[in-house]
Amino acid sequence: MTAPLARTLTIAGSDSGGGAGIQADLKTMQELGAYGMSVLTALTAQDTVGVHGIHEVPPAFVRAQLDAVALDIGVDAAKTGMLASAGIIAEVADGVRRHGITNLVVDPVAASKHGDPLLRPDAVDALRTELLPLALLATPNLGEVALLTGVQVTHPRDLRRAAAAVKSLGPAWVLIKGGHLPGNAAATDLLYDGDQALEITSERLETRDTHGTGDTLASAITVALAQGHDMPAAVWSGKEFVTGAIRHGLRLGKGIGPLDHAWRRRTGPAP
Ligand SMILES: Nc1ncnc2c1ncn2[C@@H]1O[C@H](COP(=O)(O)OP(=O)(O)OP(=O)(O)O)[C@@H](O)[C@H]1O
Ligand SMILES: [Mg+2]
């Protein structure tokens, strides 16, 4: 008997460059064998160099998209990315509750890889108080940890304190991403459930083409959760997928290039 197709949803912004946002999410879901759906929160005019414009979707239309896919198709697991405004966050939190979406990965996106803001400053509080308490997993990078909790991570030993501070905002699990930890030979993330802390580590790859790493990781974890894996297994499988996609990063554009989401098909099965 074949397993039912995992139904996965991304609630995020569009990256016209195709490397991050819903494009990265849907490519990841497709590559990992899930069925991908999307609720768009904003359009960005974006490339490998930066974000050149943002056009937000009205909150009521975010609600309409979420109701459409949740009521008709159903959602086994969802992830959020760029949410842009407090009004959109309120609709997403309300929809997640109404539709009983419990497999929820909240990637609290605040800025693009280039540092361009993707979240209004007055929306940080809504993220903190309305959405993070609903998350099964929160996946902040170090900048987002500082924004949400005030904790500055400058050394791997700070990761545990950062995880505890994010955990206190309500998610069941926290994954602190160490991608931005300078001078570290490993790319180490810390998974924490309020009790145990688990280091999720790979080698740090020498590349500038890391556009969309966080979105890709969160989407791969979402697929694994939808397929029924427990959290540590889901995070390890996400880490393995994103590391391969970074290793095979694409030298496209004049700035920070995208990952190769199709790396497993192009390189063949692992030996
Ligand atoms: N150079 C690298 N080599 C290996 N792994 C990396 C590298 N850079 C980031 N990672 C890994 O990629 C994943 C995403 O982490 P990162 O901190 O880059 O997220 P992010 O800042 O949210 O990304 P984005 O800006 O694309 O949203 C983590 O597992 C991190 O350890
Ligand atoms: Mg990110």
Side-chain angles (χ1 to χ4, degrees):
M1 226 175 73
T2 51
L5 193 58
R7 299 162 300 176
T8 52
L9 172 66
T10 169
I11 305 170
S14 163
D15 169 7
S16 52
I22 59 150
Q23 287 82 358
D25 297 339
L26 291 172
K27 289 174 190 179
T28 300
M29 291 164 181
Q30 180 79 13
E31 289 298 325
L32 292 174
Y35 181 73
M37 300 171 278
S38 59
V39 167
L40 274 162
T41 57
L43 311 182
T44 68
Q46 188 175 170
D47 51 28
T48 65
V49 177
V51 177
H52 310 294
I54 295 178
H55 187 65
E56 290 179 18
V57 172
F61 201 75
V62 171
R63 181 192 188 95
Q65 295 172 76
L66 187 46
D67 286 352
V69 296
L71 291 172
D72 179 42
I73 299 170
V75 177
D76 295 315
K79 66 145 292 205
T80 66
M82 173 189 184
L83 295 175
S85 74
I88 291 176
I89 292 169
E91 285 299 351
V92 170
D94 189 50
V96 161
R97 262 192 304 263
R98 277 186 295 113
H99 298 298
I101 299 172
T102 51
N103 273 336
L104 180 71
V105 177
V106 173
D107 188 16
V109 172
S112 76
K113 203 73 169 210
H114 328 90
D116 297 314
L118 298 174
L119 184 71
R120 292 175 183 264
D122 65 358
V124 176
D125 218 41
L127 198 55
R128 216 186 266 127
T129 60
E130 293 183 50
L131 200 58
L132 282 173
L134 303 177
L136 180 61
L137 174 70
T139 63
N141 65 20
L142 300 187
E144 291 148 5
V145 167
L147 188 71
L148 291 166
T149 69
V151 173
Q152 302 283 346
V153 176
T154 54
H155 189 276
R157 68 172 165 259
D158 302 329
L159 289 171
R160 174 86 183 226
R161 196 162 49 91
V166 177
K167 170 71 186 151
S168 73
L169 300 175
W173 294 79
V174 175
L175 182 70
I176 306 289
K177 295 177 291 190
H180 298 260
L181 203 54
N184 197 0
T188 300
D189 308 336
L190 196 75
L191 179 64
Y192 181 66
D193 67 353
D195 177 30
Q196 309 266 9
L198 192 61
E199 279 190 1
I200 311 284
T201 298
S202 71
E203 65 179 297
R204 178 172 292 277
L205 300 162
E206 271 313 314
T207 173
R208 73 170 173 181
D209 299 323
T210 56
H211 188 64
T213 48
D215 302 3
T216 300
L217 174 65
S219 293
I221 294 170
T222 303
V223 169
L225 291 173
Q227 291 170 338
H229 296 279
D230 66 20
M231 189 59 77
V235 172
W236 271 116
S237 82
K239 180 73 168 169
E240 193 259 341
F241 182 76
V242 76
T243 304
I246 298 168
R247 179 172 287 115
H248 297 278
L250 301 172
R251 188 81 293 287
L252 293 172
K254 299 176 189 69
I256 302 170
L259 315 184
D260 187 2
H261 294 94
W263 67 274
R264 296 206 303 195
R265 280 190 288 130
R266 279 197 248 277
T267 57

